[in-house]
Amino acid sequence: MKHSLFALLILGLISVGCTSTNKASTPDTTAQPNSGAAASSPSTNSDQDFVTRAAQGNSAEIELGKIVAAKSKNPSVKQFAQMMVKDHTTALNELQELAQSKNLNFNDDLPDDAKTLQAKLSSDTGKQLDKDYMDSMVEDHQKDVQEFTDKSETAKDPDVKQWAGKTLPTLQKHLEKAQQIDAKLNKGKAVGSSPSGDGQ
């Protein structure tokens, strides 16, 4: 009786972890060979997805930040881009160590939307470069703060949960700064203005 309850619990966890990727599958297919991570620890599925998204997101912030730091003539935007490169490199390195210690896959390839923005920023100049970059930074960090807030509370692995919670304040700071700079750009004040208010 105890054994059958445990088996049902494991089967339930596996089916919950797989619903987002394959709702049409039947319970009989949960033992497929390509579900190695699920077979060893069903609860790591959502954590693995988060680690992959976080790695790709950090990688995107680094690459986009490098482009803008080199091209922008706006002191506030340039400083923000440099902060992105520094902070997200630190976060990416920490995440890589965490993934290795947990035997999680680590994929920091740029996502498609970041590749599209990368191409756009590479051809942008002047105010358009600054505006396109800062608009995207506000949008990206709003999503990041929401996701990291969630994972700092709901991640199954305690170390993944701890890393999300540790990284969250930095992302909140990035969002606040991005919103300040973006608001100035949209008012047409930032270019040519003194960087005195952005001395972080």
Side-chain angles (χ1 to χ4, degrees), residues 42-56:
S43 65
T44 62
N45 267 2
S46 62
D47 290 350
Q48 173 67 77
D49 291 343
F50 170 67
V51 166
T52 298
R53 286 194 305 275
Q56 292 178 339

Side-chain angles (χ1 to χ4, degrees), residues 7 16 35 38 43 63 105 107 151 160 166 174 200:
V16 166
S35 59
S43 65
E63 295 308 313
N105 294 326
N107 176 4
K151 280 298 172 182
V160 172
K166 174 188 173 185
H174 292 171
Q200 269 200 73

Side-chain angles (χ1 to χ4, degrees), residues 118-188:
Q118 184 181 41
K120 184 167 178 46
L121 294 177
S122 295
S123 61
D124 273 350
T125 57
K127 293 181 181 180
Q128 191 62 49
L129 169 75
D130 297 336
K131 188 175 186 315
D132 286 342
Y133 177 61
M134 294 313 306
D135 284 350
S136 73
M137 287 300 97
V138 170
E139 184 179 344
D140 286 351
H141 283 85
Q142 284 173 337
K143 292 176 184 174
D144 290 344
V145 166
Q146 183 175 359
E147 182 168 23
F148 275 69
T149 299
D150 177 59
K151 280 298 172 182
S152 69
E153 298 168 356
T154 65
K156 303 291 189 300
D157 186 284
D159 293 326
V160 172
K161 180 185 287 190
Q162 182 184 30
W163 179 79
K166 174 188 173 185
T167 307
L168 179 59
T170 301
L171 296 173
Q172 290 169 327
K173 183 182 84 169
H174 292 171
L175 174 58
E176 183 180 349
K177 194 73 172 172
Q179 288 171 328
Q180 290 171 359
I181 298 171
D182 197 46
K184 289 182 183 179
L185 291 176
N186 287 328
K187 287 178 184 175

Side-chain angles (χ1 to χ4, degrees), residues 97-112:
E97 289 179 12
L98 174 61
Q100 288 172 346
S101 72
K102 298 293 177 179
N103 291 321
L104 295 171
N105 294 326
F106 186 79
N107 176 4
D108 61 352
D109 293 341
L110 287 187
D112 289 341

